[in-house]
Amino acid sequence: MTPQTTPTPQTEPKAEAGGWVFGVTLTLLGFGFMLQSLFDTDIVVSGLVVLVVVVLVSLAGPRRGHSGRARFLPPLVLFPTLLFAFWYFITIKFGQFGLGPILFHANHGVEANGVVSEFLRTSRMPLAYIVALVVGLWLLSATDHRFRRIDRLAVLPLLVFNPFTWSVAEYVGDAEAASHKVVYSGYAEIGDLRKAGTNRPNLLILYLESSERTLMDEGAFGDVMAPLAPFAARGIELTNLHEAALTNWTLAGQVASQCGVPLMPLGLVTHNSFHFIDDAFMPGATCLADLLKRDGYQTTVMQTAPLRFAGADKFAASHGWQKPLAFSQLRADYPDGGNEWGLDDEDIFDAAFHEIERIVETGSPFALSVTNIGGHTPNGFVSRSCHGRPTVDRFDDPTLKAFRCSHELAAELLDRLEVSGHLDNTVVVIQSDHLAMRNSVYRQLKQRERRNFFVAFGPGIEPQAIDRDATMMDVYPTILELLGYAPPDGRAGIGVSLLSQNHTLIETHGLPALDKAIYGDTALRNRLWGVEAGS
């Protein structure tokens, strides 16, 4: 009698098939929605496309289980996948991938008042897409023997055809191919520059976070810039202010407009370690507050966030800003409201008014640099006194609400100072810190010719619009001339005063060539940081 054989349950193939389908679904969902967010396509249509692709790909699933157990070792393709994911995350959060800002912030820190936790909170969906893609690929490797066969072969193509690789190669290639003398040869040292005459006008600089000139397009953005229009009509307006390389975040924009140079951290192109030398911040540069402090001005730097964020404290301490007033110094006076970055705009502007009053009482000229937070990515911050204002609430978009609020508050500060007589001998500068990063109106911004915002008015400044091609570096010598200094040939740093007849670097070389030269000019970098060539 032949014994009967009990069939072995086919649980493993079924489990593997289920894992394979789940892996395919996660992979396509993660990658599909990463593309959707990058290209701003309709999310419903994109979801339907991904669903159809999942169904079609699932039909090509393994027909049988492979021999042996599922292997959960990570596939080799995870390495290029993670590089792509890093590129995607930076691009989706900031609008572009740049090694300079990444390295700078990594070195100097980004934690301030819960900034990192809030950043991660607002990044939940991009992070979820990345996790889905990684887990999905891992499951495919574990459950499909065909995937493992092509794993090794796919690594190199995925590295070569990877936007992370392209970005790094372009960055390094541009730097190596650039003329290392284009920027350095145009550098003008003005440490010995003295002011002509005895009049010392005050200086007030308002850096309006992400408020770019592009927002003046009322057809696209409404009248968010309208509160600043009366001040633009009273003075000089730079209408063609481009954003050059390494000037595209707050401190970099401030360094460019106050020192006439891009913020060129150590170790971007060569293999130097990324560090400060004796804690000095660009000791080879001569900046705006260096000159004003020497000439008897009381200088105060103010911002809503703590100055320790991303090296701003070191810049201030190294370049003439005598008194820091930021979140840590001001929170006790303004305990209400605020955000994860620090104070509300209304608080920093009120503190600026009182600081000016304090300095005026001493009889010394003042120089104030004030940076707000209202327009910050991704959706801005509406200061508490703006809630309920019809001029603000009528905007549906949160970023436009925040911009309108900040501009109204800035205008109110200037009106308050004018009524009190504190602008009688004051040069006022209202400008961008940089172009807006990825926010809720980023798609509309990207569809236009984008330019930074700059307006200056005060005693002796005749109204005019200057449409010359320029960058933030050219703002520095322009401000010096407005204050009564006369830089030789209108040059300071690598900037050229737009009140002079000399050509700016961007007029001479164009923006792409200038950017490449900035990336590759190690001679200027070494001069600014006080390091020996080749170190």
Side-chain angles (χ1 to χ4, degrees), residues 36 57 90 148 151-152 161 175 214 220 231 264 268 274 279 324 334 350 367 419 429 436 465 484 490 509:
Q36 179 275 326
V57 172
I90 297 298
R148 291 201 294 274
D151 189 26
R152 288 189 181 91
F161 298 101
T214 322
F231 305 105
M264 305 173 76
L268 287 182
F274 201 125
D279 246 7
Y334 299 96
D350 183 70
V419 168
V429 173
H509 302 286

Side-chain angles (χ1 to χ4, degrees), residues 504-519:
T504 65
L505 286 178
I506 190 174
E507 286 176 323
T508 302
H509 302 286
L511 184 61
L514 176 58
D515 285 347
K516 291 180 180 180
I518 288 172
Y519 289 137

Side-chain angles (χ1 to χ4, degrees), residues 220-290:
F221 308 107
D223 61 351
V224 294
M225 300 292 283
L228 304 180
F231 305 105
R234 292 169 55 177
I236 289 175
E237 188 174 11
L238 305 184
T239 62
N240 210 4
L241 200 57
H242 299 256
E243 184 169 83
L246 302 181
T247 68
N248 59 332
W249 68 99
T250 296
L251 184 59
Q254 293 172 342
V255 167
S257 59
Q258 293 180 28
C259 309
V261 293
L263 182 43
M264 305 173 76
L266 298 173
L268 287 182
V269 177
T270 68
H271 297 289
N272 292 328
S273 61
F274 201 125
H275 65 281
F276 280 111
I277 300 173
D278 297 328
D279 246 7
F281 190 106
M282 293 202 320
T286 298
C287 301
L288 179 63
D290 292 324

Side-chain angles (χ1 to χ4, degrees), residues 117-152:
S117 59
E118 176 63 15
F119 179 76
L120 293 176
R121 185 189 67 79
T122 59
S123 305
R124 286 175 295 185
M125 293 311 295
L127 289 174
Y129 302 153
I130 292 171
V131 170
L133 177 62
V134 170
V135 173
L137 286 174
W138 205 325
L139 278 173
L140 284 176
S141 173
T143 57
D144 191 344
H145 63 287
R146 299 170 302 174
F147 186 95
R148 291 201 294 274
R149 288 175 182 171
I150 65 171
D151 189 26
R152 288 189 181 91

Side-chain angles (χ1 to χ4, degrees), residues 158-176:
L158 288 177
L159 279 174
V160 172
F161 298 101
N162 193 312
F164 176 88
T165 308
W166 297 342
S167 298
V168 173
E170 182 181 22
Y171 182 91
V172 176
D174 285 350
E176 294 300 322

Side-chain angles (χ1 to χ4, degrees), residues 250-443:
T250 296
L251 184 59
Q254 293 172 342
V255 167
S257 59
Q258 293 180 28
C259 309
V261 293
L263 182 43
M264 305 173 76
L266 298 173
L268 287 182
V269 177
T270 68
H271 297 289
N272 292 328
S273 61
F274 201 125
H275 65 281
F276 280 111
I277 300 173
D278 297 328
D279 246 7
F281 190 106
M282 293 202 320
T286 298
C287 301
L288 179 63
D290 292 324
L291 299 176
L292 298 182
K293 175 186 174 184
R294 181 202 65 192
D295 292 345
Y297 283 72
Q298 289 197 37
T299 59
T300 302
V301 59
M302 307 181 68
Q303 65 180 44
T304 59
L307 276 173
R308 70 178 184 273
F309 181 83
D313 55 344
K314 293 183 174 66
F315 169 63
S318 299
H319 287 290
W321 293 106
Q322 298 160 297
K323 185 176 181 181
L325 286 178
F327 179 82
S328 302
Q329 295 81 14
L330 294 171
R331 186 56 169 172
D333 296 327
Y334 299 96
D336 298 328
N339 51 70
E340 59 267 21
W341 283 93
L343 302 175
D344 282 339
D345 281 1
E346 64 194 76
D347 297 328
I348 200 68
F349 290 148
D350 183 70
F353 177 84
H354 291 296
E355 177 65 5
I356 289 173
E357 284 204 318
R358 181 194 68 79
I359 299 175
V360 167
E361 290 178 358
T362 70
S364 299
F366 64 79
L368 256 71
S369 168
V370 183
T371 305
N372 78 326
I373 197 63
H376 200 281
T377 185
N379 295 310
F381 300 98
V382 177
S383 193
R384 60 190 184 279
S385 67
C386 287
H387 294 295
R389 294 190 184 192
T391 52
V392 174
D393 289 345
R394 57 190 168 85
F395 288 96
D396 294 325
D397 183 88
T399 298
L400 296 182
K401 282 181 187 288
F403 277 134
R404 175 69 193 209
C405 171
S406 294
H407 300 157
E408 288 187 10
L409 295 174
E412 289 167 9
L413 167 64
L414 295 176
D415 290 340
R416 188 179 177 190
L417 288 169
E418 191 148 45
V419 168
S420 60
H422 297 326
L423 296 188
D424 291 345
N425 190 34
T426 299
V427 172
V428 177
V429 173
I430 313 169
Q431 68 167 91
S432 312
D433 55 349
H434 53 77
L435 297 180
M437 298 182 187
R438 198 175 188 101
N439 59 22
S440 56
V441 293
Y442 191 69
R443 183 193 298 183

